[in-house]
Amino acid sequence: MKKYTDIDIVAELQKLVDSHVDSYKEDFDIDKRIIRRAAESQNPEDKTLMWFCRPHGTHCLNENQVFIQGTRDHNTFRFYAEQTYDECVARVIVPKTVKRGKVFGDVFEINYREQAANVAQNAVAPDHDRLTFADGFVLEAPCRSSFDEAMALVSEHGGVQAHRTLPKDAEALSEVLTKQKSRRDRLPEAERTEVLSPLPVAELRKYEAVKKAHPDALVCFAQNGYFELYGKDAEKAAPLLGTKLLEKKVRGKPSVPVTGFRESAWVAGSHKLWKSGVDVFLSKDGETFKELKAADYIPVGATLNVDGIKCRIDAVDFAADEVRLTNIEDKNRPIRFSESIQYVRSYVEDAGTAIYDTIPKKPAARESIRDKLKSAQKAQPPHTTKPQKNKGKDMEL
């Protein structure tokens, strides 16, 4: 038996319906509504459901009510184990939230017949029923007569919206349910098969434009709550991130390798890539989310105090995990030595952004004398000849 946490509950149960239910599959439509209501409910007693399917339908029951004797949920859960030979597959489900129209939560595998025997042995005695009507009116009545009393009030208060049986010993029921939860929480986590949403062609075009603009960087492209890397970037990034290399479908094109990290974990994820000595570019919604330059991780040429000693960073060899430095305290006797990247990086972080101001600026390219003369000649106004004055008198006609 295993557990599946934070998954699409309906999608998980649908697989069981498809493989085990031959007729009355429409029962599952009712279950979907019950599961969604449980996810949206603020009442803890509504949150845990016991679901099972058989060849001719499905049932979704409230765990709280299953463990109270004589309730509809209690009797239904036991019936198929005690009165039939139907092959039933059961799950305990805990809906938690609705995201993008889907109900997410936890699903726990259970053995249906063993659980039915457990219910029969540990269910507690009922006390009375509580019925809530459409207008909010609440009826407290003995279990045997609650239905008849409710029917007499429907014309006045509307239909019954909620029906719950309360136990004689609430503490005993709480203890039973706590033991059930403790038992299933100890189940091992099921190994997950990652299913990724296809990459729309329009998004692929956006990614290709970003990658073209940053060909040498590991491009992390925001999709469905993750920063994803594709192709060769993914193959390089997966071992650095410690993540799986999966396949991403692209509509109308061959699938591509993909890996990545959650958007909420972008700092840790991008820094794992950055410290390997590569440029990292994070793109989201067509905009630059973050850009990390490999040269900034250990800024070559900068002056740095390492353990109180003034040094110049000469070179970084990421493959050898080595930073080459020169002790420049004595200009006449510079001493060259090496340290690990992680060690030097700690001092770079302590120095903050001020370290980048210590990198010598390259002198501007000097214009040659010949080029200066050519520029000056072009700038001079063109030479013109002044007209001569006529010294003779004008001829008379």
Side-chain angles (χ1 to χ4, degrees), residues 51-252:
W51 180 91
F52 69 96
C53 65
R54 55 193 182 86
H56 306 293
T58 67
H59 296 275
C60 192
L61 312 170
N62 183 287
E63 185 194 45
N64 178 287
Q65 297 294 284
V66 169
F67 278 93
I68 298 178
Q69 298 167 1
T71 64
R72 181 189 67 84
D73 297 59
H74 174 89
N75 295 336
T76 300
F77 194 84
R78 290 179 57 183
F79 176 81
Y80 296 97
E82 298 173 1
Q83 304 295 327
T84 77
Y85 293 101
D86 285 356
E87 181 183 353
C88 299
V89 178
R91 298 288 186 267
V92 172
I93 58 178
V94 183
K96 293 182 176 179
T97 185
V98 179
K99 296 185 289 188
R100 302 185 298 277
K102 299 178 180 179
V103 180
F104 286 81
D106 303 336
V107 176
F108 302 85
E109 294 180 349
I110 57 174
N111 181 293
Y112 170 68
R113 294 189 180 275
E114 289 180 3
Q115 187 68 358
N118 177 29
V119 169
Q121 181 179 351
N122 294 294
V124 302
D127 187 65
H128 67 277
D129 287 347
R130 176 182 295 158
L131 297 93
T132 305
F133 291 79
D135 65 354
F137 178 77
V138 177
L139 169 68
E140 305 268 353
C143 297
R144 291 185 178 181
S145 61
S146 63
F147 178 78
D148 292 336
E149 292 187 36
M151 289 301 98
L153 297 171
V154 167
S155 59
E156 181 181 356
H157 299 289
V160 175
Q161 300 297 303
H163 177 193
R164 185 178 297 276
T165 299
L166 303 182
K168 278 189 177 180
D169 190 340
E171 290 187 5
L173 177 60
S174 178
E175 184 178 345
V176 168
L177 297 179
T178 299
K179 287 182 179 179
Q180 300 302 311
K181 182 179 184 303
S182 177
R183 184 180 302 165
R184 61 177 174 261
D185 283 347
R186 291 196 298 269
L187 291 175
E189 185 77 38
E191 185 175 346
R192 301 195 182 201
T193 301
E194 300 286 349
V195 179
L196 301 176
S197 301
L199 185 67
V201 174
E203 292 298 300
L204 175 63
R205 296 285 180 263
K206 292 178 185 177
Y207 166 76
E208 289 173 338
V210 175
K211 185 61 184 176
K212 185 177 180 180
H214 305 274
D216 298 324
L218 291 180
V219 172
C220 307
F221 192 67
Q223 283 288 294
N224 301 315
Y226 284 83
F227 277 112
E228 296 182 342
L229 298 98
Y230 307 119
K232 292 183 178 179
D233 283 2
E235 293 171 357
K236 185 173 183 178
L240 300 174
L241 295 168
T243 53
K244 294 179 182 178
L245 190 64
L246 305 173
E247 289 292 318
K248 183 85 168 179
K249 291 183 178 179
V250 182
R251 291 189 176 94

Side-chain angles (χ1 to χ4, degrees), residues 2 4 9 16 22-23 27-28 34 78 109 123 126 158 189 229 232 257 270 284 313 317 324 358 370 378:
K2 297 177 181 178
Y4 305 77
I9 291 177
L16 300 176
D22 298 325
S23 58
D27 287 354
F28 191 48
I34 295 172
R78 290 179 57 183
E109 294 180 349
E189 185 77 38
L229 298 98
K232 292 183 178 179
S270 61
K284 182 176 180 180
I313 300 173
D317 188 339
R324 293 191 285 277
T358 68
R370 190 176 300 278
K378 289 180 180 179

Side-chain angles (χ1 to χ4, degrees), residues 172-395:
L173 177 60
S174 178
E175 184 178 345
V176 168
L177 297 179
T178 299
K179 287 182 179 179
Q180 300 302 311
K181 182 179 184 303
S182 177
R183 184 180 302 165
R184 61 177 174 261
D185 283 347
R186 291 196 298 269
L187 291 175
E189 185 77 38
E191 185 175 346
R192 301 195 182 201
T193 301
E194 300 286 349
V195 179
L196 301 176
S197 301
L199 185 67
V201 174
E203 292 298 300
L204 175 63
R205 296 285 180 263
K206 292 178 185 177
Y207 166 76
E208 289 173 338
V210 175
K211 185 61 184 176
K212 185 177 180 180
H214 305 274
D216 298 324
L218 291 180
V219 172
C220 307
F221 192 67
Q223 283 288 294
N224 301 315
Y226 284 83
F227 277 112
E228 296 182 342
L229 298 98
Y230 307 119
K232 292 183 178 179
D233 283 2
E235 293 171 357
K236 185 173 183 178
L240 300 174
L241 295 168
T243 53
K244 294 179 182 178
L245 190 64
L246 305 173
E247 289 292 318
K248 183 85 168 179
K249 291 183 178 179
V250 182
R251 291 189 176 94
K253 292 181 175 289
S255 59
V256 295
V258 62
T259 196
F261 46 88
R262 291 186 181 276
E263 283 188 25
S264 58
W266 73 266
V267 174
S270 61
H271 277 236
K272 284 180 181 179
L273 302 175
W274 187 38
K275 71 180 183 181
S276 69
V278 295
D279 293 348
V280 181
F281 188 88
L282 279 70
S283 174
K284 182 176 180 180
D285 299 329
E287 302 290 337
T288 300
F289 182 83
K290 187 69 176 178
E291 185 173 10
L292 302 171
K293 292 289 188 180
D296 292 338
Y297 191 75
I298 304 286
V300 174
T303 301
L304 178 68
N305 283 315
V306 179
D307 199 16
I309 299 171
K310 189 176 182 181
C311 302
R312 182 184 66 240
I313 300 173
D314 293 331
V316 182
D317 188 339
F318 284 95
D321 186 26
E322 181 181 77
V323 180
R324 293 191 285 277
L325 304 123
T326 299
N327 177 356
I328 57 175
E329 290 183 327
D330 186 345
K331 295 182 180 180
N332 297 320
R333 297 181 61 189
I335 303 173
R336 293 178 176 81
F337 65 104
S338 299
E339 290 288 354
S340 72
I341 289 176
Q342 184 176 358
Y343 182 73
V344 175
R345 177 62 190 171
S346 65
Y347 286 98
V348 172
E349 291 173 350
D350 290 342
T353 57
I355 189 174
Y356 298 99
D357 294 333
T358 68
I359 301 174
K361 292 181 172 60
K362 292 182 180 180
R366 189 178 186 280
E367 190 178 14
S368 68
I369 296 294
R370 190 176 300 278
D371 289 337
K372 280 187 176 182
L373 290 172
K374 286 181 180 180
S375 298
Q377 186 177 11
K378 289 180 180 179
Q380 288 180 355
H383 179 73
T384 57
T385 303
K386 294 181 179 180
Q388 292 183 351
K389 294 181 179 180
N390 186 3
K391 295 181 180 179
K393 294 182 178 179
D394 294 334
M395 296 179 64

